[in-house]
Amino acid sequence: MTTTSNRSRDAFSFQETARILGISAKKLSGICQFFDAHADDEWELIEGEFFEYEPGQARSRRFYEEGVMALAKYLEEKEGGSILAKIYEFFTQHRARVTRTLVKRRIIQVTQDRSSIQIRGDLVFLEQRSFVRVLGTNGKGMAGTITRIQEESSGLEGAEGLEIGVHFDSFEGKDQRHWSQRGIVRLAKTMRDKGRITKARKAWVKAVADVAEECFEVQRKLLESHEARVKEAKDKVRQRALRKDGSGCAISGYKPSESDQYSVELEAHHLFDASSRPDLAAYEENLIAISSSIHRNFHKWMGAKPCEPKDFVDYLLGNEMSHFDGSPSVKKRKEQKLQKLMNRLELLQARFEGNHLLY
């Protein structure tokens, strides 16, 4: 199971890493021992950069994307094209799929904060801090690569340098220079071909150079259609609750009625807050139809904090339990409804808490 070490980096468990690489856990353990045993060779796994230890379990690792790529690169060099041709073919296909997924995930992560990106035409520009995160480098490595590109392209006709508005740009009200996917690919290619970096890092920047533009194009379309998709999802949830066999308000069960002068209005509420979890904003399972008054009271109770399903559970238990009372003839049905609702909220919380993204 993929775990999240903090709010910015995902890590794969040891078993999951073995499955991603298509090898046994025993073989992965042997490779790790080889990496650790030879400090003076070109292969190494650096704690904090390529892996971390399971909390409280110093002998159990979980790997970051860079660690998975380093291991995949090692397997490619040690086993590709030999008597293990079938395995090599498997690794080739599997690696391509894994690479696409890993880079896509990193791009999804860095584009979650809409305030850190700018879209101009078909280009997505990232703040520099997100830019270096995609490349897996730092400010020094980035500066050195830029200098190398400028030196190589100087005076050479047809050489692609770094062009403002294409590879990078500055935006009004933003302190940091922003870099586009074209800039990311340009630097990734130079780091791959000219960078004085380890093979593990070259494996990562090669992956970025190969698929970043395609991934950014997909993400750009998702970002541009975000508001429309959110509206569509909210309309679907609300209309589903309003159908003849729909449940109405998930708490009170009330539906709008033309004959009732105090008729309720139904609204779709984001259980994981839409601003802090844009990846879930158009996900129908993250929406619940409730009356406008309950919706309003919940957010008043929450204040300015971003909400999660567990907050809705706390609010429900402390403020709205009267909706699940009633005569003995209806109480059992209402208790079943409450139990079903609680199960749904707890499952949603468990699946996506800790910034575990929707892919």
Side-chain angles (χ1 to χ4, degrees):
M1 178 179 180
T2 303
T3 56
T4 302
S5 56
N6 52 47
R7 292 188 67 82
S8 62
R9 300 188 77 178
D10 284 346
F12 299 95
S13 71
F14 195 88
Q15 295 292 340
E16 190 176 15
T17 299
R19 286 198 297 272
I20 289 173
L21 294 168
I23 60 177
S24 67
K26 182 179 179 181
K27 183 170 184 176
L28 176 57
S29 179
I31 294 172
C32 291
Q33 289 176 14
F34 171 80
F35 272 56
D36 295 340
H38 303 280
D40 57 346
D41 67 2
E42 61 187 354
W43 300 102
E44 60 181 333
L45 292 172
I46 303 171
E47 183 182 358
E49 291 190 32
F50 298 107
F51 75 92
E52 64 185 11
Y53 289 108
E54 295 278 357
Q57 301 183 52
R59 298 178 63 85
S60 181
R61 307 182 195 210
R62 50 190 185 189
F63 295 89
Y64 301 142
E65 293 94 333
E66 292 88 343
V68 177
M69 292 303 299
L71 292 162
K73 183 68 174 177
Y74 171 82
L75 287 167
E76 175 184 321
E77 293 205 359
K78 298 300 178 183
E79 299 182 358
S82 64
I83 59 173
L84 300 175
K86 290 184 179 179
I87 296 178
Y88 173 79
E89 178 64 18
F90 170 80
F91 280 142
T92 300
Q93 295 179 5
H94 186 69
R95 190 165 49 253
R97 182 164 57 86
V98 170
T99 296
R100 183 179 299 275
T101 302
L102 293 175
V103 174
K104 181 179 179 181
R105 178 163 63 173
R106 180 66 60 86
I107 291 171
I108 290 173
Q109 290 172 337
V110 300
T111 54
Q112 287 302 298
D113 181 4
R114 292 297 301 270
S115 66
S116 68
I117 65 175
Q118 300 286 329
I119 299 177
R120 293 290 184 270
D122 59 355
L123 295 176
V124 180
F125 289 84
L126 302 177
E127 284 185 353
Q128 185 160 314
R129 60 181 177 178
S130 299
F131 182 85
V132 297
R133 192 173 164 218
V134 172
L135 287 173
T137 185
N138 53 34
K140 183 179 179 180
M142 181 176 173
T145 305
I146 292 171
T147 299
R148 186 170 291 111
I149 291 173
Q150 291 171 335
E151 290 174 349
E152 291 177 348
S153 60
S154 177
L156 297 178
E157 185 177 353
E160 184 184 24
L162 295 173
E163 184 179 349
I164 188 169
V166 177
H167 298 94
F168 67 92
D169 212 336
S170 298
F171 297 94
E172 186 176 355
K174 300 291 183 180
D175 296 332
Q176 293 187 24
R177 172 179 286 186
H178 287 56
W179 291 82
S180 74
Q181 64 265 41
R182 292 284 302 278
I184 289 174
V185 171
R186 183 69 180 89
L187 263 70
K189 287 180 177 177
T190 298
M191 292 174 71
R192 177 198 62 193
D193 298 336
K194 308 289 184 180
R196 297 171 184 172
I197 54 179
T198 65
K199 289 190 175 183
R201 290 197 186 281
K202 285 196 176 186
W204 178 255
V205 294
K206 180 182 184 305
V208 173
D210 288 346
V211 302
E213 285 212 71
E214 177 186 344
C215 293
F216 266 103
E217 177 62 11
V218 172
Q219 193 64 4
R220 180 182 66 80
K221 291 179 179 178
L222 283 173
L223 292 170
E224 290 184 328
S225 65
H226 179 77
E227 296 303 326
R229 289 185 293 108
V230 172
K231 182 179 183 306
E232 181 181 6
K234 293 174 75 171
D235 287 344
K236 281 184 178 179
V237 169
R238 183 174 174 276
Q239 291 302 320
R240 192 179 302 136
L242 288 171
R243 290 189 313 213
K244 186 175 181 180
D245 59 346
S247 61
C249 171
I251 307 301
S252 66
Y254 296 149
K255 293 182 182 180
S257 171
E258 294 182 357
S259 61
D260 187 350
Q261 63 174 333
Y262 302 109
S263 176
V264 301
E265 293 184 11
L266 285 189
E267 297 176 350
H269 165 65
H270 282 106
L271 294 163
F272 277 102
D273 190 83
S275 59
S276 61
R277 295 300 305 269
D279 59 309
L280 296 173
Y283 182 51
E284 291 179 31
E285 290 299 312
N286 187 42
L287 288 161
I288 187 171
I290 55 177
S291 72
S292 58
S293 61
I294 292 177
H295 197 189
R296 185 170 55 251
N297 290 337
F298 169 73
H299 283 290
K300 183 178 180 180
W301 178 81
M302 275 296 297
K305 295 182 297 183
C307 63
E308 296 188 1
K310 62 184 180 183
D311 300 313
F312 197 78
V313 171
D314 290 342
Y315 170 79
L316 178 63
L317 296 177
N319 300 275
E320 303 290 351
M321 285 299 290
S322 61
H323 293 294
F324 299 93
D325 290 334
S327 63
S329 62
V330 301
K331 193 169 184 178
K332 183 177 180 180
R333 177 175 55 81
K334 288 192 174 184
E335 286 181 348
Q336 290 174 338
K337 175 184 175 182
L338 175 61
Q339 186 64 41
K340 185 176 180 180
L341 175 60
M342 296 288 283
N343 285 339
R344 178 193 167 187
L345 295 171
E346 293 294 344
L347 286 172
L348 187 71
Q349 179 73 38
R351 183 178 177 190
F352 295 110
E353 68 181 353
N355 205 32
H356 197 143
L357 299 178
L358 173 66
Y359 296 110

